[in-house]
Amino acid sequence: MVYVRETTQGSAAIPVTEQRWRQRSGARDFGRALFRAAPGRIGGCIILGLIVIALLAPIVAPYSPVKIDIPNRLTGPSAHHLFGTDDIGRDVFSRVLSGSRISLRVGLVSVSIALAIGVTLGMIAGFYGGIVDLIVMRVVDIMLAFPGFLLALAIVAMLGPSLTNAMIAVGIGGASGFARLVRGSVLSVKEKDYVTAAHVIGATNGRIMSKAVLPNVLAPIVVLATLEFPVAILAAASLSFLGLGAQPPSPEWGSMLVSGRTYITTAPWLINFPGLAIFITVLGFNLFGNAVRDAMDPRLRQR
Amino acid sequence: MAVYIARRLLLLLPVWFGVLTLVFLMRVLVPGDPVDIMFFGQQTNPEVRATIRHELGLDRPLYVQYGKYIWGVVHGDLGTSITTQRPVVTEIKSRYPNTVVLTLASLTVAVSIGLMAGILAAVYKDSLIDTVSMVLSLGGLSMPGFWLGLLLIYIFAVNLHWFPVLGSMSPKGLILPSVTLGVIASAVLARIVRSSMLEVLREDYIRTARAKGIKESTVIIQHAWKNALIPVVTIIGLQFGALLSGAFIIEYVFAWHGVGELAVQALQKRDFPLIQGIILVVATTYVLVNLLVDVLYAAIDPRIAYQ
């Protein structure tokens, strides 16, 4: 957490060049800490690989992910169809490749929604305190009374099954965690001298929140956001698996698994490749998230 | 202690009331006409619709509906399922015990694996055991439950024929679903146990015990692990929530006839009274389990109740 504070706090007193140098060295320290241990490197590589696959999927995929080819249905993995074909002859390899685009988008959109709602709520609750804080935090408590992804399930039940709604639901479900975290950090930051100083020079509340408070509570938010990424991907895939997220013929991994499970005895590749894809993706983000958390913690960084 | 429990209960009431309100609002906030949704947007006779509307009380003002809903819940009436036309309470009652059995079995699996792996990893820190158990834990954390379930079905039921494939409510049929849920939950637990154990092992009283010449195994069993358990209890409570929501997916995968499977069916048919009922019951269970965990926590660590 010291990393961000060093670069933003008290910046007025430091000459611009030195400030830049400090920022660069802070970022370099962070980068070094992030990729020093194997988990950070492996996680980073997996994510990079995923992004490349997602970008290149339409070019490198040998077939269209939705092209039906009934004569070649349920053929096992071969040179023609690396991961085999599904019940209506679609190429599983091409589908898994283009599924990566959906998964990354799901993670990005869900976490952004959670961030937008959670950070705003937490900021308002922590900054204004009093009755506002009380009301916001009781709402958060109620949201946290729904175990795991049950809240997302309830929201998607209301909005109706679709991938967009699943992303919204997962985002809202994850917001309470951010709200709690941000509120706690804001409570400690708002007592600092530079916030008082900003009040004294007559800055508006909105300006203080965005210019003085937010940059100094950013570090824990970044950590939680990276850790929330795999959770969101997994939750959305689960919703799709239950038929409440992506709808056919979308090559979403969770929905591929559920349509493949009918053929578990005869065509296990229909569940194994999408399952493996989810596993590797979530693993990559988990490894990376843990590395970000450790790198952000200066006590761990110095070791 | 009694004061502590009473205070916790009092704090819980507004939260539970909030949950109740949110569950009530579910149907109100649904975009579109609820009667339309029941018929999946098919054309229906306006008279039939008006009758249904009246029967469900949808023609009344919102506060009347809310009051009626709360009155019903307090008296154990959660409405009538649209698909089966049976009381929601009856539907849930027939499924609830199965979910409890599955959750408790999974919890047993999770706690046994999690404790063992976590303690071993901490005691043999930086050894091969530590690395392997932490890698496995990360793997478990990244594992989609539905894939693990299907893999276990494929290996142990389809190929090895050790277990029934689907829909068996026998004790044998319980093994695969509870292992699936339990293994995944144990991943988080193992990490927490490990770090809690490492912290305890640094305490003065452990050093004293070792200095007295007590055997290392006695130090671990008699002195360390009971203290390491304190923070773990809270995590077990949270994990119970993960197990409850995980049960929705795993019951669906294994055709285990619990409330989770019922919920998925209700969700697919958009049977709102049933969905609302199940969500309310599961959330209430979770809230109560967390209360129990808090009490347990205070019982293990008397310092808590006096704070």
Side-chain angles (χ1 to χ4, degrees):
Chain A
M1 264 141 258
V2 162
Y3 152 66
V4 169
R5 272 200 205 130
E6 251 181 14
T7 58
T8 50
Q9 198 177 312
S11 47
I14 304 167
V16 177
T17 44
E18 194 189 331
Q19 193 186 330
R20 282 228 185 91
W21 178 81
R22 270 200 187 187
Q23 264 172 4
R24 259 209 302 272
S25 96
R28 206 162 36 212
D29 276 357
F30 174 70
R32 207 175 287 154
L34 185 60
F35 295 111
R36 188 179 49 200
R41 280 202 295 269
I42 299 172
C45 286
I46 293 176
I47 294 173
L48 199 70
L50 268 168
I51 294 173
V52 171
I53 289 173
L55 288 176
L56 297 182
I59 305 165
V60 295
Y63 301 89
S64 153
V66 289
K67 188 179 157 265
I68 298 169
D69 180 14
I70 301 290
N72 279 318
R73 67 190 290 264
L74 296 175
T75 56
S78 65
H80 287 295
H81 298 283
L82 225 46
F83 291 176
T85 58
D86 69 3
D87 53 327
I88 48 175
R90 290 174 301 197
D91 181 48
V92 176
F93 180 63
S94 306
R95 286 175 71 73
V96 169
L97 284 189
S98 54
S100 65
R101 313 181 73 134
I102 302 176
S103 242
L104 287 181
R105 197 176 76 213
V106 161
L108 211 62
V109 173
S110 307
V111 173
S112 305
I113 294 172
L115 268 172
I117 302 174
V119 172
T120 311
L121 284 181
M123 191 73 115
I124 290 172
F127 192 79
Y128 289 103
I131 185 87
V132 180
D133 183 26
L134 194 78
I135 293 170
V136 171
M137 290 328 282
R138 285 303 79 77
V139 172
V140 169
D141 277 348
I142 293 164
M143 282 165 78
L144 288 171
F146 292 89
F149 85 131
L150 193 68
L151 188 62
L153 210 72
I155 295 169
V156 108
M158 283 161 50
L159 300 178
S162 82
L163 186 64
T164 312
N165 290 344
M167 292 193 279
I168 296 173
V170 171
I172 297 175
S176 47
F178 285 99
R180 271 209 161 168
L181 177 85
V182 172
R183 173 186 176 266
S185 313
V186 169
L187 281 180
S188 69
V189 167
K190 76 167 180 180
E191 302 301 328
K192 301 269 187 216
D193 288 342
Y194 54 84
V195 176
T196 319
H199 276 297
V200 171
I201 59 170
T204 58
N205 281 338
R207 193 177 164 79
I208 296 173
M209 276 195 262
S210 62
K211 298 281 177 188
V213 179
L214 187 61
N216 288 291
V217 297
L218 215 55
I221 298 177
V222 169
V223 172
L224 188 62
T226 32
L227 289 172
E228 189 64 26
F229 223 92
V231 177
I233 292 178
L234 209 50
S238 304
L239 287 177
S240 293
F241 181 81
L242 296 179
L244 303 167
Q247 299 296 313
S250 163
E252 203 278 337
W253 295 332
S255 58
M256 285 174 73
L257 260 159
V258 74
S259 51
R261 78 180 187 139
T262 330
Y263 304 94
I264 187 167
T265 48
T266 51
W269 58 87
L270 291 185
I271 57 163
N272 286 339
F273 291 114
L276 200 62
I278 302 175
F279 175 68
I280 293 173
T281 305
V282 175
L283 183 70
F285 280 105
N286 269 331
L287 285 167
F288 190 73
N290 285 342
V292 169
R293 187 194 51 206
D294 292 350
M296 285 271 188
D297 190 337
R299 278 170 307 164
L300 289 169
R301 223 204 289 178
Q302 272 151 23
R303 266 197 284 161
Chain B
M1 191 70 183
V3 178
Y4 175 76
I5 296 175
R7 208 174 54 209
R8 296 292 316 167
L9 255 175
L10 268 178
L11 282 174
L12 264 187
L13 267 179
V15 170
W16 185 77
F17 211 73
V19 170
L20 188 64
T21 309
L22 219 61
V23 170
F24 165 75
L25 286 176
M26 261 182 75
R27 197 177 58 191
V28 181
L29 292 178
V30 169
D33 185 69
V35 179
D36 254 354
I37 291 164
M38 278 171 214
F39 288 102
F40 286 92
Q42 287 165 2
Q43 289 295 317
T44 29
N45 187 342
E47 271 171 41
V48 175
R49 297 165 65 106
T51 320
I52 292 175
R53 192 172 281 280
H54 182 70
E55 271 174 13
L56 291 172
L58 295 172
D59 50 352
R60 314 281 287 276
L62 200 58
Y63 63 88
V64 177
Q65 291 184 39
Y66 184 50
K68 267 185 76 177
Y69 184 72
I70 291 175
W71 185 256
V73 171
V74 172
H75 289 83
D77 173 18
L78 296 175
T80 311
S81 158
I82 295 168
T83 38
T84 63
Q85 293 299 325
R86 295 203 304 165
V88 169
V89 174
T90 317
E91 293 282 352
I92 296 177
K93 247 189 205 159
S94 66
R95 301 286 197 118
Y96 192 69
N98 292 334
T99 298
V100 173
V101 167
L102 174 63
T103 319
L104 288 179
S106 318
L107 196 64
T108 314
V109 174
V111 171
S112 352
I113 300 178
L115 278 183
M116 200 135 73
I119 292 176
L120 282 177
V123 171
Y124 300 102
K125 187 175 179 281
D126 294 330
S127 71
L128 188 68
I129 297 178
D130 185 17
T131 314
V132 169
S133 56
M134 284 307 108
V135 167
L136 284 180
S137 145
L138 201 70
L141 213 61
S142 312
M143 196 70 172
F146 43 89
W147 186 44
L148 180 62
L150 289 172
L151 276 182
L152 293 182
I153 291 176
Y154 181 68
I155 298 168
F156 294 104
V158 174
N159 281 328
L160 297 172
H161 303 291
W162 288 0
F163 299 101
V165 176
L166 285 178
S168 163
M169 299 303 290
S170 63
K172 219 177 167 185
L174 177 64
I175 295 177
L176 286 185
S178 51
V179 166
T180 309
L181 260 176
V183 161
I184 291 175
S186 74
V188 181
L189 224 53
R191 299 191 146 236
I192 306 289
V193 171
R194 177 179 180 271
S195 61
S196 161
M197 189 76 180
L198 281 176
E199 216 146 274
V200 169
L201 286 176
R202 278 197 291 266
E203 294 284 344
D204 289 340
Y205 55 83
I206 298 295
R207 193 174 341 122
T208 311
R210 281 181 180 151
K212 282 196 293 187
I214 297 174
K215 262 197 308 182
E216 186 63 22
S217 58
T218 318
V219 172
I220 304 293
I221 296 165
Q222 292 281 330
H223 300 247
W225 87 280
K226 278 186 208 153
N227 287 299
L229 215 61
I230 295 172
V232 173
V233 171
T234 316
I235 302 301
I236 290 178
L238 286 175
Q239 280 302 301
F240 191 85
L243 288 175
L244 272 178
S245 65
F248 279 68
I249 300 165
I250 299 306
E251 285 180 1
Y252 179 61
V253 171
F254 287 92
W256 181 261
H257 305 316
V259 284
E261 192 201 35
L262 186 67
V264 175
Q265 291 163 355
L267 280 162
Q268 285 165 353
K269 290 177 191 145
R270 309 214 76 185
D271 185 344
F272 268 97
L274 192 51
I275 299 170
Q276 284 175 302
I278 294 169
I279 289 177
L280 184 65
V281 167
V282 172
T284 307
T285 309
Y286 181 53
V287 168
L288 288 177
V289 166
N290 271 314
L291 175 73
L292 191 74
V293 167
D294 278 349
V295 173
L296 216 64
Y297 199 54
I300 304 174
D301 190 352
R303 285 169 295 182
I304 308 277
Y306 295 108
Q307 268 172 16

